[in-house]
Amino acid sequence: MEQTFDWDEELTHLLQTSAPHTASAFPRPRSHNRRKPGRATPLRGWSWVRVVSLSMAALTAFIVTTVGVLGAMVSYDPLTHLAAAGVAPGLVHGWPLLVFGPWVVACLSVLRAALHRRRALHAWTVVVLFTAIAVALSVTQAPRTLPGIAVTALPPAAALACFHQFIRQITLARPRHALARAAAHRAGTRGRP
């Protein structure tokens, strides 16, 4: 078991041993941790609204992931059939990754930008572009009926819609006026000596 060095206790001990008659002038410092052992501490700053909000965001993240995976699975077969015409047989099953790979990477870029409160226009462009490519390529392999086209076109579009709503939840977690106040506060404190 590693022992930690407590500067306050050491200073108090040195002062008490060097000047015994002044020991009462330097009371032993109190511990900053006032909770009793075995007692749970409440989460500070966590309201029920925040807990429910974060729970909904977690549920949304799960649903977005599920819809994205299901959309890729539904679109996978039409894309492999399309690739079979011009791609080597050993690469046909990996070819859909050329459509879904950039889509996933751009989604992660959008997510990272949202977490850092940054704009991600380029990444959003890639997400929308590769969603449109997935829809268009899937539709070319669909039966020429309205239900056939809907079955192949809907999954990538649904994944995009779910992802967009998830990003909106993340960016709305901290409203813009709160961000503006925080930026103004930071700018005001930089100018102080």
Side-chain angles (χ1 to χ4, degrees), residues 105-129:
V105 170
C107 285
L108 292 174
S109 295
V110 169
L111 182 59
R112 183 171 185 264
L115 292 173
H116 289 282
R117 309 289 186 230
R118 305 265 191 253
R119 298 180 79 191
L121 184 60
H122 181 268
W124 272 116
T125 303
V126 172
V127 170
V128 171
L129 175 67

Side-chain angles (χ1 to χ4, degrees), residues 67-83 92-93 95-100 103 130-142 148-160:
V67 169
V69 168
L70 287 175
M73 289 171 59
V74 169
S75 299
Y76 181 80
D77 196 41
L79 292 176
T80 55
H81 287 307
L82 182 68
V92 169
H93 294 290
W95 192 83
L97 289 176
L98 296 176
V99 176
F100 295 119
W103 189 89
F130 277 88
T131 300
I133 289 171
V135 168
L137 293 177
S138 296
V139 166
T140 61
Q141 296 297 310
I149 291 172
V151 163
T152 57
L154 188 61
L160 174 63

